[in-house]
Amino acid sequence: MSAVPQSDAETLLLRRDEGGVAYLALNRPGQFNSLSQAMLEALIAEIDAIAADASVRVVVLSGEGKAFCAGHDLKEMRGNPALEFQQALFRLCGRFMVKLTEMPQPVIARVHGIATAAGCQLVSMCDLAVAADVARFAVSGINVGLFCATPSVGLSRNMGRKEAFEMLVTGDFIDAHEAQRRGLVNRVVPLEQLDDEVAKLTASICAKSPIAVQMGKQMFYRQLEMGMEAAYQMAAETMACNMMTEDAAEGIDAFVAKRKPQWRGR
């Protein structure tokens, strides 16, 4: 991977671009890729840069070392006991999580190891997730006297309320297959097949019209927060505007002519 330096002390993120896919890896393996303040700031800067890059069609988010992400950096949090620091840290984390849904490209979590607390939140806030069968998930803050309030936002939007709340008040781990059953991840494969499965998913998305994917992602998350009537109104407007794009015309013409479409991205 090519490095994207974020500080003189360490390279917090690794990025490589290939075939329309931006591969972004958390790179604090010694700290199980915990989300320090510096890591969150680096992630926001990189996500903003990717969002503005039309050549990137999909983002794959992963972690170096044994873990996907173990959540916030507890040592940093204890070393900065002021309320102001804690408020700023969690607001920063929230900003990053929301940016994942606001950016035009789909974001895929590639989960090869544990994803706990804010790391589990990160999986829940990615648009899609592919996990190795050895991956495990938990919102374990309750075990150290800290209810995972911010992770509960993403978790409760991925699975049933009772299933989410049970994880939040017990801190218990679930395995990858249970995470899939509950809706936290899309696909589960053996660890040695993880990259191939992620590649299948990215290839499928990259083969579609970029403007349709972008419009669709934006509409999808907005309508979730609406009542049914308002959601249908916005969805109807989105489909009508989508029909006005060159890609929609090309796609329909290609379907009728039984040929492969040539997307223009507009």
Side-chain angles (χ1 to χ4, degrees):
M1 286 187 173
S2 61
V4 179
Q6 303 296 339
S7 71
D8 294 335
E10 59 182 337
T11 301
L12 297 175
L13 297 174
L14 302 175
R15 176 179 168 182
R16 67 180 175 89
D17 290 17
E18 182 179 342
V21 183
Y23 296 89
L24 194 61
L26 310 180
N27 189 39
R28 300 186 73 204
Q31 295 77 34
F32 300 102
N33 297 315
S34 59
L35 299 176
S36 64
Q37 184 179 48
M39 173 69 87
L40 289 167
E41 290 171 346
L43 281 164
I44 288 173
E46 199 63 36
I47 288 298
D48 283 345
I50 292 172
D53 187 347
S55 70
V56 176
R57 298 289 314 283
V58 187
V59 180
V60 175
L61 191 59
S62 64
E64 293 292 294
K66 294 181 179 180
F68 172 73
C69 177
H72 286 288
D73 189 328
L74 296 179
K75 289 185 178 179
E76 180 184 66
M77 291 169 64
R78 284 294 291 143
N80 294 273
L83 175 62
E84 293 76 13
F85 177 85
Q86 306 297 329
Q87 290 172 327
L89 178 67
F90 290 116
R91 287 170 183 160
L92 185 69
C93 184
R95 278 180 55 210
F96 164 60
M97 298 294 176
V98 171
K99 280 180 178 290
L100 293 175
T101 62
E102 290 180 339
M103 70 186 306
Q105 302 94 337
V107 182
I108 303 170
R110 175 198 178 276
V111 190
H112 70 292
I114 63 166
T116 58
C120 189
Q121 176 188 5
L122 180 53
V123 175
S124 74
M125 293 302 293
C126 289
D127 303 303
L128 302 162
V130 181
D133 55 3
V134 295
R136 296 194 302 156
F137 305 82
V139 276
S140 46
I142 198 70
N143 295 331
V144 296
L146 187 65
F147 186 84
C148 283
T150 46
S152 76
V153 175
L155 202 66
S156 63
R157 284 163 167 76
N158 278 240
M159 60 179 68
R161 291 183 182 183
K162 286 182 171 60
E163 291 175 323
F165 193 72
E166 180 180 348
M167 291 183 69
L168 289 160
V169 295
T170 65
D172 291 344
F173 276 92
I174 59 173
D175 63 24
H177 288 289
E178 179 64 14
Q180 183 183 34
R181 188 193 70 78
R182 296 188 185 191
L184 185 60
V185 303
N186 298 84
R187 304 180 185 185
V188 177
V189 294
L191 179 60
E192 63 272 16
Q193 297 176 21
L194 183 57
D195 288 330
D196 286 343
E197 194 66 23
V198 170
K200 291 178 185 177
L201 189 53
T202 59
S204 180
I205 296 170
C206 286
K208 308 304 186 291
S209 160
I211 189 65
V213 171
Q214 292 170 20
M215 293 176 71
K217 176 176 174 176
Q218 182 183 62
M219 183 281 303
F220 178 77
Y221 286 107
R222 287 185 177 178
Q223 64 86 23
L224 286 173
E225 307 301 323
M226 296 178 173
M228 186 176 293
E229 184 176 353
Y232 267 117
Q233 288 177 355
M234 191 188 70
E237 183 67 16
T238 299
M239 288 205 74
C241 291
N242 197 167
M243 272 297 297
M244 298 299 102
T245 65
E246 293 183 25
D247 274 5
E250 166 63 13
I252 294 170
D253 289 348
F255 176 78
V256 172
K258 297 181 180 180
R259 60 173 174 80
K260 186 177 179 180
Q262 300 296 316
W263 305 124
R264 299 173 177 84
R266 57 185 188 269

